Amino acid sequence: MSSTPASSTPATPETGTARVKRGMAEQLKGGVIMDVVTPEQARIAEDAGAVAVMALERVPADIRKDGGVARMSDPDMIDGIIEAVSIPVMAKSRIGHLVEAQVLQALGVDYIDESEVLTPADEVNHTDKWSFTTPFVCGATNLGEALRRIAEGAAMIRSKGEAGTGNVVEAVRHMRQIRGEIGKLRALDNHELYAAAKELRAPYELVREVAEAGRLPVVLFSAGGVATPADAALMRQLGAEGVFVGSGIFKSGDPAKRAAAVVKATTFYDDPKVVADVSRGLGEAMVGINLDTLPDGERYASRGW
Amino acid sequence: MLALQGDVREHLAALRAAGASPRPVRRPEELAGVAGLVIPGGESTTISKLATAFGLLEPLRARVAEGLPVYGSCAGMIMLADKILDPRSGQETVGGIDMIVRRNAFGRQNESFEAAVEMADVAGGPVHGVFIRAPWVESVGASAETLAAYDGHPVAVRQGNLLATAFHPELTGDHRVHALFVSMVRAAGR
């Protein structure tokens, strides 16, 4: 397994390389990726300055409310969203559902999210993401989980958070966890990295790469529970290179205005004056759920292995 | 370094490797002190909207008109084009290079590719072209010079102090394109 893209130029043009997959995520940095369920919402997201949209059948808040098995979206719906916007379109497959991932690749989506928000299809294995041309983003709650996903070929990582709650607490926990573990790795000497890899249940080569670079070898975004411009700015101050906003936009009172405000706050995350200005007059935020009232079986972040 | 959105970190690293001392620019007042500017790869609609919302577009156009050296890769190339063939509603560019670009001309992400590209003004063999949902130049005006083409489409263009590539040299370890831009900035400062 080679985690770092080779530096040599291919003799003939090559698609689906690690460099173009990871490089695609590099282009999204500093931006906001928004969940949308219709072409109309996708256009609102694009007009607000989203760097990409995630095409879904239901936003996570509705998946929670409706219950049942959550699956890949209807291909017609994904086609409609691809038609509607010029920015990249992502879509979710169930964890381990390699055929849903194959279908999404055939539909021409720009990124596949192997997502815990949908009902897992395999309780042991994730999809072999190296075997796809389309790049993958995966969720992680800690460094070991992030590195296992990268070992499987993920070209981008997002903190899981707790999607569909409008509560940022889990996203904060996961981001602090990942960044904290990276910090600890940096303090270890070469002899200690082998044991660290064993503890993280991750390949030694990746662990050493992270220890040397002080960051993941792929882009790290935050997701799950971001509902306000200040939430987005918080996640960036904690080290996220960009944010996913799920239910937070289109479950709020004025989606177009809130979407534009979250985009601005993500760029000027370190400027409280800008965050204050864009936070004015946004109308109702999504109501949100306190996580201590959420039964363990309904926590999406615990899905994935 | 225009740092509203995109692969800013990679460009900063490439510029440092090419001997420059880059700093991020997000506000009009930060633009005043720079001798050259790089517009990174990213999402051109997002960069355009943020530049408009935070009052950067007019100051950028004014500096370009005064001769500020600017290099743009991918989304940055789109921002430097006088015209976009297929703009989104309200998508503004800084302009300056007499060319028409087509966004995502090489296709969606599944068609993104890397390949060797022969580039004029860059010695030492072809550059490593990383094309990600890349634009191409549909037509180049008389005052702009095509430095590289791929599949018959211009992918690197220079006009005076302005340089644009459809590909991303910042994602490779090859800093020759950034070195070319740094030499343009130094020449303009003399």
Side-chain angles (χ1 to χ4, degrees), chain A residues 22-172:
Chain A
R22 293 177 181 188
M24 162 81 209
E26 305 286 356
Q27 308 312 312
L28 302 173
K29 281 189 300 195
V32 183
I33 299 165
M34 301 180 192
D35 279 2
V36 298
V37 301
T38 63
E40 179 52 31
Q41 287 186 355
R43 277 188 286 267
I44 291 171
E46 182 175 50
D47 287 342
V51 289
V53 292
M54 179 73 70
L56 283 165
E57 213 143 61
R58 289 175 287 170
V59 294
D62 288 333
I63 294 174
R64 273 186 197 287
K65 201 172 72 193
D66 300 350
V69 174
R71 310 178 179 90
M72 175 189 79
S73 300
D74 181 329
D76 283 341
M77 197 277 293
I78 293 171
D79 282 349
I81 288 171
I82 288 176
E83 276 300 302
V85 293
S86 68
I87 56 178
V89 176
M90 303 182 166
K92 289 182 192 288
S93 73
R94 283 181 264 175
I95 289 173
H97 204 310
L98 44 128
V99 173
E100 283 189 352
Q102 289 161 3
V103 169
L104 293 176
Q105 173 165 288
L107 291 174
V109 304
D110 295 293
Y111 240 91
I112 299 170
D113 184 357
E114 189 181 20
S115 177
E116 72 284 357
V117 171
L118 305 184
T119 310
D122 189 323
E123 294 186 328
V124 178
N125 306 292
H126 285 247
T127 301
D128 168 23
K129 293 166 272 289
W130 296 109
S131 64
F132 287 78
T133 303
T134 310
F136 279 74
V137 55
C138 288
T141 60
N142 57 49
L143 181 59
E145 198 175 0
L147 296 181
R148 287 194 293 281
R149 297 297 84 80
I150 295 167
E152 293 155 2
M156 179 180 187
I157 294 293
R158 54 174 175 77
S159 67
K160 281 183 179 170
E162 195 53 48
T165 61
N167 188 337
V168 81
V169 65
E170 290 294 300
V172 168

Side-chain angles (χ1 to χ4, degrees), chain B residues 3-190:
Chain B
L4 295 170
Q5 190 273 318
D7 64 344
V8 173
R9 185 180 63 216
E10 288 71 19
H11 272 290
L12 290 174
L15 285 169
R16 281 188 203 105
S21 316
R23 57 170 188 256
V25 169
R26 287 183 296 175
R27 301 171 180 85
E29 59 271 25
E30 293 164 346
L31 186 61
V34 300
L37 184 77
V38 171
I39 307 179
E43 198 42 55
S44 63
T45 53
T46 303
I47 294 173
S48 166
K49 278 170 207 302
L50 286 168
T52 306
F54 289 94
L56 267 164
L57 205 59
E58 286 308 326
L60 272 168
R61 285 173 177 159
R63 288 295 309 269
V64 166
E66 290 162 17
L68 179 75
V70 185
Y71 166 48
S73 71
C74 198
M77 170 182 252
I78 295 168
M79 290 298 289
L80 285 175
D82 279 348
K83 190 160 181 257
I84 305 175
L85 193 68
D86 46 356
R88 300 307 290 187
S89 68
Q91 183 176 2
E92 296 276 344
T93 70
V94 175
I97 300 183
D98 181 9
M99 62 179 174
I100 301 172
V101 293
R102 182 191 286 271
R103 299 179 57 215
N104 309 137
F106 284 104
R108 304 188 66 85
Q109 175 59 16
N110 287 344
E111 284 81 54
S112 292
F113 65 99
E114 26 185 339
V117 178
E118 293 285 350
M119 185 165 167
D121 294 359
V122 174
V127 297
H128 184 158
V130 179
F131 294 83
I132 296 176
R133 289 172 49 94
W136 70 44
V137 179
E138 197 71 20
S139 66
V140 184
S143 37
E145 180 195 357
T146 298
L147 299 183
Y150 191 84
D151 255 1
H153 304 285
V155 292
V157 173
R158 179 175 177 175
Q159 179 175 337
N161 286 335
L162 306 177
L163 177 68
T165 62
F167 50 90
H168 294 276
E170 73 279 9
L171 295 180
T172 71
D174 183 348
H175 306 308
R176 286 176 293 163
V177 175
H178 287 82
L180 167 64
F181 178 63
V182 169
S183 73
M184 288 166 59
V185 174
R186 294 213 169 110
R190 274 198 286 271

